[in-house]
Amino acid sequence: GLENATVQLLSQDPFIIPQDAITNKEGIAKFKRVSDGEYIITAILAKHKNQTKETSINFTSGQEQEVSILLERLPHLQITVTDELGEALEGAEVTLYTKSEFNTPGDLPLHINLTENEGIVDYEDVILDEIYVIIIKKAGFNAQTIERVFTLDSQFLAVEMSLGKEDLVEDE
């Protein structure tokens, strides 16, 4: 289950106060002292407000009821950066632009992040069918610029960085 989703218990009865709970690591939220009646349970993950799930239940006191609501992770872009040996590159700078922002002087990128120790950055606010430009840099490696249309089939991008050639200084 998804952790930190907000679950709300709403009664049809205007005299019953709505209850809110946050899901735990297992994706479970519990409500106590629920009065008899018809309820609507809504679940939402803060980052994905457009993906609210809702279900109805009829609760009778003295009973414990379990209701499952599946919140699926929305499409996201995960970029894994490795060196030529396939080892994760920690601290590589990954800059994400939309293509239109990239081509407009003075526009700022959507994100600038450093890869974690697994060499990964993850973006959850990408839009399907949008064209993105990704720039990856790390000292000692050749920078890479990648242009990609984001689709459900392109959520995972693996980038191999090659060692850069040091500038040769000739003796005069």
Side-chain angles (χ1 to χ4, degrees):
L2 288 175
E3 185 177 11
N4 293 323
T6 300
V7 182
Q8 188 172 54
L9 185 65
L10 299 165
S11 174
Q12 304 293 339
D13 183 339
F15 296 104
I16 296 177
I17 298 171
Q19 292 186 46
D20 291 330
I22 304 295
T23 57
N24 61 19
K25 289 181 183 177
E26 289 79 37
I28 297 171
K30 293 184 179 183
F31 296 99
K32 296 181 181 181
R33 296 184 204 97
V34 177
S35 301
D36 290 354
E38 287 283 324
Y39 290 87
I40 294 174
I41 298 175
T42 60
I44 187 167
L45 193 57
K47 295 179 184 176
H48 304 298
K49 289 191 177 10
N50 59 340
Q51 194 203 24
T52 300
K53 296 283 179 129
E54 188 174 286
T55 190
S56 297
I57 65 162
N58 192 350
F59 184 78
T60 305
S61 59
Q63 291 184 331
E64 187 172 302
Q65 276 186 276
E66 186 174 306
V67 177
S68 295
I69 297 177
L70 179 62
L71 287 176
E72 297 174 9
R73 186 170 183 187
L74 292 177
H76 66 285
L77 175 60
Q78 183 178 61
I79 301 169
T80 303
V81 182
T82 61
D83 63 16
E84 292 170 312
L85 301 175
E87 299 292 322
L89 276 181
E90 181 178 2
E93 180 184 278
V94 180
T95 306
L96 181 69
Y97 291 89
T98 62
K99 185 172 182 179
S100 61
E101 290 168 335
F102 181 73
N103 289 323
T104 304
D107 266 8
L108 299 174
L110 295 171
H111 297 282
I112 301 175
N113 298 92
L114 297 178
T115 56
E116 299 171 358
N117 57 352
E118 302 91 18
I120 295 174
V121 292
D122 198 19
Y123 300 109
E124 295 194 0
D125 57 350
V126 288
I127 299 168
L128 286 173
D129 299 321
E130 179 76 60
I131 301 171
Y132 290 96
V133 176
I134 303 151
I135 301 172
I136 303 170
K137 300 186 283 185
K138 180 157 176 77
F141 292 84
N142 292 318
Q144 296 218 18
T145 302
I146 300 161
E147 185 175 306
R148 169 139 323 169
V149 176
F150 179 69
T151 65
L152 290 176
D153 295 328
S154 67
Q155 293 185 75
F156 301 95
L157 175 62
V159 179
E160 182 181 292
M161 302 288 285
S162 59
L163 288 172
K165 305 250 191 280
E166 293 188 33
D167 295 336
L168 298 175
V169 178
E170 295 182 23
D171 291 334
E172 291 183 25

